[in-house]
Amino acid sequence: MGFLNSIDISATGLTAERLRMDVISQNIANVDTTRTSNGGPYRRKLVVLKEIDNQSSFSDMLNAAKGSSTVGNGVEVVSIEEDNKTPFNRVYDPGNPDADSTGYVNYPNVNIVSEMVDMISATRAYEANVTAVNSTKSMIEKALEIGKA
């Protein structure tokens, strides 16, 4: 694996974590949105990531089949999906215009605490990728200094 490949891998991580932070921010901003353009309350969004599978040559596939240690190729965003598994938060508020016939209002399925935990996780992963890029740059600089001597 070369220096540029490691920077490319870190760059994919930076892009993915930045998108995660954007989606988490959107979830937090819509924590009280009871009516969207679709008519219902806002649904929490989740970013789905996967490893980039870039085995193109026969030797790459052979090495993978032998179980030799391989380095990944980074991550890519598969989709941004709505969380349909978590139910809406029902709150009794008969004066709210969005209340149903029993006086309950459906609020988004966004939990501020879990969103903040996810935000901290995404921030730490972003910082780790920045550190990896900076370390790679430092190694490249040191290698060039050795070449000059």
Side-chain angles (χ1 to χ4, degrees):
M1 179 171 89
F3 289 124
L4 295 179
N5 193 19
S6 65
I7 290 176
D8 288 341
I9 291 170
S10 294
T12 65
L14 288 168
T15 302
E17 296 306 328
R18 172 59 195 251
L19 180 63
R20 274 187 65 207
M21 288 187 277
D22 288 345
V23 169
I24 293 166
S25 298
Q26 182 181 3
N27 288 340
I28 292 171
N30 285 293
V31 72
D32 290 324
T33 304
T34 58
R35 189 182 314 164
T36 63
S37 58
N38 297 337
Y42 176 83
R43 281 200 178 272
R44 178 178 185 233
K45 291 183 175 47
L46 303 167
V47 177
V48 179
L49 304 172
K50 76 169 192 147
E51 180 184 3
I52 296 173
D53 185 19
N54 211 8
Q55 293 179 344
S56 56
S57 70
F58 178 73
S59 63
D60 289 340
M61 290 182 208
L62 185 60
N63 287 334
K66 287 192 309 189
S68 63
S69 78
T70 57
V71 177
N73 296 307
V75 295
E76 65 183 351
V77 175
V78 175
S79 63
I80 299 174
E81 298 179 355
E82 288 187 347
D83 180 5
N84 293 318
K85 295 178 183 175
T86 309
F88 291 124
N89 298 322
R90 291 181 51 85
V91 176
Y92 184 72
D93 185 6
N96 190 313
D98 293 325
D100 61 12
S101 60
T102 59
Y104 283 92
V105 179
N106 284 331
Y107 279 89
N109 56 349
V110 176
N111 181 335
I112 292 292
V113 175
S114 64
E115 295 299 323
M116 292 306 295
V117 169
D118 287 348
M119 181 69 83
I120 291 169
S121 171
T123 302
R124 296 287 186 259
Y126 189 91
E127 290 170 354
N129 281 298
V130 168
T131 301
V133 168
N134 289 336
S135 295
T136 303
K137 285 177 18 183
S138 176
M139 285 187 270
I140 291 170
E141 290 171 0
K142 294 295 180 188
L144 291 173
E145 286 176 16
I146 291 171
K148 289 181 182 178

